[in-house]
Amino acid sequence: MEKETFQIIKRPGIGNKGEPIKVRANFFEVTKMQKTKIIHYDVTIKPEVPPRLNRKVFNLFSEKNQEALGGIRPVFDGTYSVKLEEGNVPVARKRPPEDFRITIRKARDIDMEGLFQFLFAKSRMTENCQMAITAMDIIISHEISAKYPTVRNSFYTPQGARSLFGGIEAWQGYYQSARPTRGKMMINIDLSATAFYEEGPLIRMVAKILDLRSPNDLRKGLSDKDRQKVEKRIKNLKIRDNHNPENKRKFKIEKLTKTPASHTTFDKDGSRIDVKTYFQNQFNKRLIYPFLPCVVVRKTVYLPLEVCDVIPEQRYMRKLDKNLTDEMMKFTRQNPNVRANKIHDGLNILNYKGNEYLKQFGMEVSRDMAVVNARILPTPTIQYHQSSREHRVRPNGGAWNLRDKKVANGATLSSWSVMVFSNYKQLPDQAIKFFVRELVNTCQDTGMNILDRDPPICRGNPIGNIEESLNKAYLNAKEKARVIKPQLILCILPNAGPELYAEIKRISETAIGVATQCIQSIHTKNPKKQYCANVCLKMNVKLGGENSFLIPEHIQFLIDDPTILMGADVTHPTATADDESPSYAALCGSMNVKASRYAASLRVQTGGTEIIIDLESMVKESLKAFYQTCGLKPKKILFYRDGVSESQFMEVLECELTAINAACRSLEANYKPNITFVVVQKRHHTRLFPIHGGDRTGNCIPGTVVDMDITHPFEFDFYLLSHAGLLGTSRPAHYRVLYDENGFDANRLQKLSYNLCYVYARCTRAVSLVPPVYYAHLAAARAKIHSPYRDTDTESSKGDKSTATTIGEVKGELRKVMYFM
């Protein structure tokens, strides 16, 4: 399939619907920048060393060669680029520091005037513009990168670090990035955080890894299981020995010995000696912990744990487990006022005003957060079943409840069973029946039709044969209802571990072909009405029902002509997964004119590939499902695409829009619906802060939209905060319209996108993303569960790599319902 060529569309104007307000954004205006050229040089430093050491080497070179450099201080990104102001600056021919050879070669001139043309919408983004923006990023980060550990655009400081678990601590970081906006450059400054190893005695870290109070608790020695746990955590950790103060050496840990220091031997002068005796004889050091293993730092170099110190400023690169993730979330979660104040703290550390490099390049940055124009869009009206006491609701504050409301189209449940993965002692039959009764009552009150109010209950072993357990539950439901295919298995799970959940979903959806609703057993003990109502919402759509929809005037674009909404997402392997781990793509397409039901298409593809390789056939499946459900061919396609970075916009647009067009032509030669292609981004660092008012959490009110001041100089984009914040500072979604054949103006697309956020089927809250994208995200995660190859942080969970390019196919009737909810 040959790629078609497209251009990203320009903004059709700014919106004016809603209540105008002012908000602050974490952008700081570049009030002064040079207009003359910047010269880009390529720098090679031999031997190769990490970027931070590269910077130190280059800074030393710069300091010692100021005369040769004409008194100019170049800036360096630590890998290959050096930026010098315009001028015929000679390259020093003096010999560089003894251990390093530096080669500098002029690469190009960067014309800053081209950047100004772009900012004022007089030219499109060019390579020169991109280089100018990159140059500004390097200028603002050069000085700070030499002082603090830096990861891409963020630097981290140990001030205010918080200890987590197992010798890991959370460090506060600050993100900074030069951003082009309408008529000006701005610096986006935000908070970030990452995990570091705690510096200090290695033996203290070992005690923390094993969840012990102090190293004294290690006196029993290490079991084989404990030793493996410690070895896994500290492998590749950099340490310094401390037994010889005059000669402290640095090492990287390869592994732990299987024997303690008192029994770990090596050859010395032709005879064997153990590590404990060697340290006593050689260094007059009596080991306190000779019963603990040694670290292996070279083939036959063994160091007792107690003579090792963890070198500071080492990032923890492994995937965080659930406990560490929860603690990291608590560390990073700050309400808007605290976050805004901390951003100003970061501004003080960055000290743009006193930065010699910024002065040299003629750059000045405002200390004031940008005040930007925004609007609060009107809240839509949600429609429930006509028999509801309250069949229309206009939510307040982005949330409502199901009291006095019945779902728009309640499903009938006549054949189901309950599978309990707990024993009688943990969860008696009486408690299960009480919960089921409460759930059934809630489902009935909410508009579902539960014909079997007393489903059969059976039990399974959570670490046993899950397929056997589910088949037993399936047969029980089948026998009681006397049907060919039961509709649902309600699974009650112990309260920990995602593995059981994943296995239930994989088997039920790809092997048996039945919907499942999983709940944690803790919720059965004292079932709350709101919890049961949320479970009911999920059950209803899994059985083919519809929970709610918007009144026609709030989805006019969908009503005018048959329109299909599509959401697409790709889930990539984690950073700790191996190179063979695949990526999973999902497309969710609406199945009716009201966009209240969706069907998912799932694919597996080469790991790290962002383009959806098989999109043509996935779009075809979605278009067929729409036609089969409502008998209409969509005349319009509104395609929301998640997870694409700016650098990939053109490639994704050209490949995927070509695929969408090809899918339409493959159904009918002359079938050409109008397509709008919108990228939705959540992984960005823009935050909005209310100046007056705000909601009860201090965040901006749901419906806040910004389409000027901090947006693209001329392309069609806007920030939309559609949800009510619960904890921390809410992140708006960034909508980037790449292509539009439907003639959207800013008002229509902003209002439609906001209104859709009120009909996410799983809850009675406005959500932060349009539902098709949210569903695609859930479906892509489900595709990963369906794969026999699921990358995790443990070797034992790796599947058969030969099957990494396949996923289990979802069984027949399930494909027509929202089983992935």
Side-chain angles (χ1 to χ4, degrees), residues 655-806:
C655 292
E656 297 189 359
L657 200 49
T658 299
I660 297 168
N661 282 327
C664 296
R665 285 195 302 270
S666 72
L667 291 170
E668 273 182 20
N670 296 323
Y671 179 48
K672 197 178 187 313
N674 291 333
I675 301 168
T676 299
F677 194 107
V678 184
V679 169
V680 191
Q681 296 173 309
K682 281 285 281 186
R683 291 185 180 177
H684 59 76
H685 285 271
T686 299
R687 298 294 183 275
L688 304 175
F689 303 91
I691 293 176
H692 304 293
D695 67 11
R696 59 184 179 81
T697 65
N699 281 290
C700 290
I701 289 168
T704 300
V705 65
V706 173
D707 63 358
M708 55 196 302
D709 302 320
I710 57 169
T711 49
H712 192 278
F714 52 83
E715 288 174 6
F716 189 1
D717 72 323
F718 56 90
Y719 291 97
L720 174 62
L721 187 75
S722 51
H723 65 298
L726 290 172
L727 296 167
T729 305
S730 298
R731 187 193 324 229
H734 191 191
Y735 291 81
R736 304 283 301 262
V737 186
L738 304 190
Y739 186 82
D740 179 36
E741 292 178 327
N742 286 300
F744 273 112
D745 62 16
N747 286 325
R748 287 177 72 210
L749 186 59
Q750 289 166 10
K751 285 178 68 179
L752 176 61
S753 298
Y754 177 52
N755 292 347
L756 288 170
C757 293
Y758 280 79
V759 284
Y760 178 60
R762 291 219 300 194
C763 62
T764 52
R765 300 184 66 85
V767 289
S768 59
L769 292 168
V770 285
V773 162
Y774 228 128
Y775 297 148
H777 185 69
L778 293 175
R782 188 59 58 84
K784 184 175 178 179
I785 284 174
H786 290 170
S787 171
Y789 186 96
R790 297 197 290 273
D791 67 274
T792 69
D793 210 26
T794 59
E795 289 301 314
S796 61
S797 61
K798 303 284 185 183
D800 178 6
K801 293 180 183 180
S802 65
T803 59
T805 53
T806 63

Side-chain angles (χ1 to χ4, degrees), residues 619-663:
V619 169
K620 220 160 117 181
E621 287 173 20
S622 283
L623 291 169
K624 282 181 177 177
F626 186 96
Y627 181 74
Q628 287 163 2
T629 305
C630 58
L632 298 168
K633 296 176 193 172
K635 291 187 177 178
K636 297 179 292 191
I637 297 175
L638 177 48
F639 190 92
Y640 287 102
R641 180 63 158 89
D642 191 21
V644 180
S645 63
E646 283 180 73
S647 61
Q648 299 169 310
F649 279 0
M650 281 311 302
E651 186 185 7
V652 167
L653 178 64
E654 290 180 350
C655 292
E656 297 189 359
L657 200 49
T658 299
I660 297 168
N661 282 327

Side-chain angles (χ1 to χ4, degrees), residues 41 65 212 281 287 326 436 445 507 570 588 703-704 706 718 773 776 803:
Y41 290 86
N65 293 278
L212 302 172
N281 296 347
L287 295 185
D326 290 346
V436 170
D445 294 345
I507 292 164
V570 181
C588 284
T704 300
V706 173
F718 56 90
V773 162
T803 59

Side-chain angles (χ1 to χ4, degrees), residues 28-34 38 75 83 110 112 115-116 119 128-142 153 176-180 184-187 352 355 357-358 361-365:
F28 298 81
E29 184 181 346
V30 178
T31 54
K32 189 177 174 187
M33 52 194 279
Q34 72 175 53
I38 289 176
V75 294
K83 307 281 188 286
I110 299 171
M112 295 303 286
L115 176 59
F116 285 98
L119 295 176
N128 176 78
C129 285
Q130 190 56 63
M131 289 301 301
I133 295 166
T134 302
M136 293 181 73
D137 272 331
I138 296 169
I139 293 165
I140 62 176
S141 65
H142 177 81
N153 288 71
Q176 56 170 351
S177 174
R179 302 287 303 169
K184 61 186 79 163
M185 287 297 296
M186 302 188 95
I187 310 298
Y352 291 139
N355 188 313
Y357 297 96
L358 265 73
F361 285 90
M363 268 183 75
E364 290 180 10
V365 180

Side-chain angles (χ1 to χ4, degrees), residues 562-635:
T563 302
I564 187 169
L565 298 181
M566 293 182 182
D569 190 20
V570 181
T571 294
H572 297 296
T574 58
T576 53
D578 66 40
D579 293 340
E580 295 183 50
S581 299
S583 292
Y584 301 93
L587 177 76
C588 284
S590 57
M591 296 168 69
N592 57 9
V593 173
K594 293 176 292 193
S596 56
R597 288 178 58 199
Y598 286 77
S601 294
L602 312 178
R603 297 291 188 275
V604 62
Q605 57 189 47
T606 306
T609 307
E610 185 55 52
I611 304 293
I612 300 176
I613 303 301
D614 201 25
L615 185 63
E616 181 181 339
S617 70
M618 296 166 81
V619 169
K620 220 160 117 181
E621 287 173 20
S622 283
L623 291 169
K624 282 181 177 177
F626 186 96
Y627 181 74
Q628 287 163 2
T629 305
C630 58
L632 298 168
K633 296 176 193 172
K635 291 187 177 178

Side-chain angles (χ1 to χ4, degrees), residues 155-438:
F155 69 92
Y156 297 93
T157 164
Q159 295 167 3
R162 181 189 296 174
S163 181
L164 304 176
F165 296 114
I168 308 300
E169 59 186 9
W171 282 30
Q172 182 72 68
Y174 298 93
Y175 168 92
Q176 56 170 351
S177 174
R179 302 287 303 169
T181 64
R182 302 182 72 183
K184 61 186 79 163
M185 287 297 296
M186 302 188 95
I187 310 298
N188 179 203
I189 301 176
D190 192 26
L191 302 185
S192 61
T194 196
F196 281 79
Y197 289 96
E198 290 180 0
E199 64 175 291
L202 178 62
I203 195 147
R204 185 177 68 195
M205 176 177 284
V206 169
K208 288 188 174 187
I209 291 170
L210 298 174
D211 202 21
L212 302 172
R213 285 176 300 176
S214 76
N216 286 335
D217 294 329
L218 291 165
R219 293 196 172 277
K220 294 178 183 175
L222 298 188
S223 67
D224 197 47
K225 184 180 177 183
D226 285 346
R227 183 186 60 77
Q228 289 175 8
K229 182 178 180 180
V230 170
E231 182 177 81
K232 181 182 172 185
R233 178 65 64 86
I234 68 173
K235 188 176 181 181
N236 293 324
L237 191 64
K238 293 171 188 170
I239 54 165
R240 184 184 283 115
D241 60 17
N242 60 29
H243 57 281
N244 185 359
E246 294 176 6
N247 183 27
K248 290 189 174 185
R249 300 167 298 168
K250 294 180 181 179
F251 299 99
K252 185 186 278 190
I253 296 173
E254 292 181 4
K255 59 182 178 179
L256 286 177
T257 58
K258 292 184 178 178
T259 50
S262 56
H263 290 74
T264 301
T265 62
F266 61 96
D267 280 322
K268 178 163 172 54
D269 302 329
S271 60
R272 303 292 293 177
I273 187 171
D274 65 75
V275 173
K276 173 189 171 185
T277 306
Y278 174 77
F279 270 78
Q280 179 72 59
N281 296 347
Q282 190 76 17
F283 303 107
N284 194 28
K285 181 170 181 62
R286 180 173 167 271
L287 295 185
I288 303 170
Y289 303 96
F291 41 80
L292 294 179
C294 300
V295 294
V296 181
V297 293
R298 288 181 196 143
K299 195 170 183 181
T300 55
V301 178
Y302 311 115
L303 293 174
L305 293 175
E306 61 198 88
V307 304
C308 301
D309 291 323
V310 179
I311 292 173
E313 299 185 355
Q314 293 185 73
R315 272 185 77 208
Y316 180 71
M317 300 297 288
R318 286 183 167 277
K319 183 180 179 181
L320 299 180
D321 62 27
K322 186 178 185 305
N323 286 338
L324 283 171
T325 300
D326 290 346
E327 289 301 308
M328 182 65 85
M329 291 295 287
K330 289 177 191 172
F331 177 74
T332 57
R333 195 183 289 136
Q334 283 119 4
N335 70 38
N337 279 339
V338 173
R339 193 180 195 96
N341 290 336
K342 286 199 171 187
I343 288 170
H344 278 289
D345 292 343
L347 199 64
N348 293 334
I349 297 172
L350 285 164
N351 187 24
Y352 291 139
K353 193 170 184 180
N355 188 313
E356 291 298 322
Y357 297 96
L358 265 73
K359 288 178 184 174
Q360 180 177 271
F361 285 90
M363 268 183 75
E364 290 180 10
V365 180
S366 169
R367 286 191 52 82
D368 298 321
M369 221 181 244
V371 175
V372 303
N373 292 289
R375 288 168 288 116
I376 302 174
L377 298 176
T379 305
T381 299
I382 304 163
Q383 177 80 50
Y384 284 94
H385 195 274
Q386 288 291 344
S387 67
S388 307
R389 192 179 300 174
E390 189 182 359
H391 68 273
R392 284 193 170 190
V393 57
R394 195 160 178 263
N396 184 26
W400 64 102
N401 59 50
L402 282 174
R403 196 180 299 119
D404 296 329
K405 302 170 192 72
K406 293 182 185 291
V407 290
N409 178 15
T412 296
L413 178 57
S414 57
S415 53
W416 61 308
S417 62
V418 181
M419 168 52 68
V420 185
F421 288 99
S422 298
N423 60 39
Y424 292 92
K425 189 176 179 182
Q426 293 166 327
L427 195 61
D429 279 1
Q430 189 179 353
I432 298 165
K433 287 180 178 178
F434 178 71
F435 172 76
V436 170
R437 189 163 62 248
E438 289 297 303

